[in-house]
Amino acid sequence: MLETKPILQLGNPILRKSAAPIEFPLLTEKRELIEEMILTTDAMKGVGLAAPQLGVSSQLLILASRPNKRYPHAPLMEPKALLNPKIMLTSQDTVKDWEGCLSVPGLRGLVPRKRWVEVSYQDLEGQEIQERLHDFVARIFQHEYDHLIGKIFLDHLESTLDLMTEQEFQQRIQNAN
Ligand code: NI
């Protein structure tokens, strides 16, 4: 039966490994993993997830932007699985915004990311797709892609002054509304 899975936490060495490419045709266990990742992202109020966060070191990530308590201003999209994703081209300019990570609970960091990224990936059938992602969705992609190369958003912080707790972050959101 499909169910949500526990998320590996910062310090687990799997989160620091480079993930292996996925082969086609897709195994049933990989299809189930994708379903579990989508369920888990939803249950945990995330907007994306990478397979290593569930302990599977494979090049697979989920983009699932939608407004929720953790990200009230996220745009709504259908959850999408990106297999063997690659970054082909990026904007020159970067934008800083607050990010959290289900593997780093309780913290938010102000992370510089490229404004847009042109990415290439395979869908569940192995079809190659190229797409340009913008703004918040580009940010999610860059965050999740990092998980496939052993990186965490904390690695990009310019200063520890760019950190705050989730509690402080939530208070600021409420005060801003
Ligand atoms: Ni993360």
Side-chain angles (χ1 to χ4, degrees):
M1 199 183 76
L2 294 176
E3 53 188 14
T4 64
K5 285 279 165 64
I7 294 175
L8 299 193
Q9 302 290 288
L10 179 65
N12 189 304
I14 294 177
L15 293 174
R16 292 308 198 171
K17 277 178 62 177
S18 283
I22 289 184
E23 290 175 12
F24 291 91
L26 209 53
L27 297 174
T28 308
E29 63 181 44
K30 286 285 187 303
R31 287 182 187 271
E32 285 176 2
L33 173 65
I34 290 167
E35 293 301 316
E36 285 167 348
M37 286 172 71
I38 292 172
L39 280 176
T40 304
T41 308
D42 190 35
M44 301 300 290
K45 311 246 180 293
V47 288
L49 196 67
Q53 292 181 279
L54 294 190
V56 180
S57 196
S58 293
Q59 294 175 15
L60 160 62
L61 61 86
I62 301 292
L63 300 181
S65 179
R66 66 172 108 42
N68 61 36
K69 185 168 176 286
R70 290 178 72 243
Y71 297 96
H73 304 297
L76 181 65
M77 67 180 284
E78 276 298 308
K80 180 149 71 172
L82 283 65
L83 291 79
N84 300 325
K86 291 174 184 59
I87 296 176
M88 311 303 286
L89 198 65
T90 71
S91 64
Q92 298 265 322
D93 57 328
T94 58
V95 190
K96 277 183 161 186
D97 201 358
W98 293 98
E99 283 180 27
C101 179
L102 295 171
S103 295
V104 189
L107 279 181
R108 294 279 179 151
L110 197 53
V111 184
R113 298 286 187 192
K114 301 295 186 188
R115 185 182 299 278
W116 57 259
V117 286
E118 202 163 294
V119 305
S120 134
Y121 60 92
Q122 286 167 284
D123 67 11
L124 275 69
E125 276 65 55
Q127 188 95 21
E128 197 88 30
I129 295 171
Q130 284 210 24
E131 197 173 349
R132 189 175 285 201
L133 305 172
H134 298 266
D135 303 315
F136 190 70
V137 178
R139 176 171 296 279
I140 304 172
F141 177 90
Q142 291 169 82
H143 177 115
E144 304 309 340
Y145 180 81
D146 270 356
H147 282 302
L148 305 183
I149 56 171
K151 282 187 147 188
I152 298 284
F153 78 95
L154 300 171
D155 303 336
H156 294 288
L157 294 188
E158 288 169 359
S159 157
T160 48
L161 296 175
D162 288 342
L163 269 176
M164 69 165 90
T165 66
E166 181 73 21
Q167 191 182 341
E168 176 70 16
F169 181 77
Q170 289 296 334
Q171 271 169 20
R172 289 199 188 189
I173 289 178
Q174 276 167 23
N175 293 343
N177 286 341

